[in-house]
Amino acid sequence: MALQAGAETLACDLITAPGCGAVSTLFLHGAGQSTRQRQWPLRETLAQHGHASAAIDFSGHGDSSALLPNSLAKRLDEAQAALDRLCDDGAARTVVGVSMSGEIAMRLACRPGNRIGHVVTIVGAVYDGAAFALPFGPDFSAALRRPGSWRDAESLRMIRQYPGRITLVRALEDKVIPAEVADLIRENAHAASACRIVDLPGIDHRVSERSAQDEHLRRSLAELIAG
């Protein structure tokens, strides 16, 4: 499948199974060399729990186009296009943000019109508000290098008004995302109906890769997402 988002053409897919209802869960992959394929085994397991899901390759990743410079703001626009096009609007939705897309998932959930009832971050990041609109490159990297810059994330202020459920999956051996990120999100989730941190001992930042090989972990993550 293909999805038009601004100037970009995004590769996307749906995973369902007998007994699944309409698609109500959207997966958003991380940065680097990530694509939607990294979450495929987890999404197949989620479908076995009765939850169909959608996923995209952000522009510049996988099978999507890369016509314009990328930024967090552009990723949010692409995630919004995917939610609008691929996910059913008749029921509460779930958005799952992995690594860099933790920020995107939170911002998406904080738009009331999106009717997202559950936001899940897996080793999720938040970013300095000053970096949000910057194209990925030297200026973006410089903003991130400011010590503790993530403590100034606008998404932390936004999440204070979010009324749904929040699940924050944290890997205890993660050397990429500080453990305090999940704590700060929970501290700011004043209006959430529930907010939980789930710690994964003995696992580093590569949760998606680990879950693809570890059936017990994969089923545990699917159950957390299914809620």
Side-chain angles (χ1 to χ4, degrees):
M1 296 175 62
L3 166 69
Q4 201 67 32
E8 306 287 6
T9 302
L10 308 182
C12 55
D13 63 57
L14 307 177
I15 296 182
T16 188
C20 287
V23 175
S24 59
T25 301
L26 175 66
F27 277 76
L28 304 172
H29 67 74
Q33 301 302 311
S34 294
T35 73
R36 71 192 194 280
Q37 297 301 325
R38 283 195 181 172
Q39 279 73 55
W40 188 277
L42 173 57
R43 293 172 59 210
E44 286 188 316
T45 302
L46 187 65
Q48 294 170 10
H49 283 72
H51 293 262
S53 66
I56 59 170
D57 287 337
F58 285 113
S59 56
H61 291 257
D63 298 319
S64 293
S65 63
L67 301 178
L68 299 175
N70 286 314
S71 67
L72 291 170
K74 186 183 177 192
R75 286 197 170 195
L76 180 59
D77 289 343
E78 292 174 355
Q80 183 68 61
L83 187 76
D84 292 343
R85 168 77 179 276
L86 303 175
C87 293
D88 178 61
D89 63 358
R93 297 153 157 176
T94 296
V95 60
V96 182
V98 180
S99 191
M100 177 181 277
S101 284
E103 170 85 17
I104 307 304
M106 287 172 58
R107 286 178 177 260
L108 207 63
C110 289
R111 293 177 171 178
N114 286 337
R115 293 192 301 283
I116 293 172
H118 188 197
V119 57
V120 181
T121 68
I122 299 176
V123 291
V126 295
Y127 292 90
D128 184 349
F132 184 71
L134 293 176
F136 296 156
D139 291 342
F140 178 79
S141 297
L144 300 192
R145 281 195 293 269
R146 185 171 64 83
S149 63
W150 43 270
R151 293 187 175 90
D152 295 326
E154 292 177 351
S155 54
L156 292 174
R157 292 187 287 277
M158 294 176 179
I159 207 68
R160 294 171 187 169
Q161 307 302 319
Y162 174 67
R165 294 182 295 125
I166 303 172
T167 299
L168 309 167
V169 179
R170 180 169 62 183
L172 294 185
E173 303 301 321
D174 194 342
K175 305 302 182 186
V176 177
I177 305 299
E180 294 89 346
V181 168
D183 294 325
L184 268 180
I185 296 171
R186 184 167 63 180
E187 289 169 11
N188 282 276
H190 305 315
S193 60
C195 183
R196 57 181 173 173
I197 296 175
V198 179
D199 286 328
L200 304 178
I203 299 177
D204 63 15
H205 189 70
R206 296 168 295 180
V207 175
S208 297
E209 294 92 323
R210 176 72 173 266
S211 70
Q213 306 298 324
D214 185 332
E215 182 179 359
H216 176 73
L217 174 60
R218 193 164 62 249
R219 290 190 177 278
S220 295
L221 292 173
E223 289 169 2
L224 291 173
I225 295 166

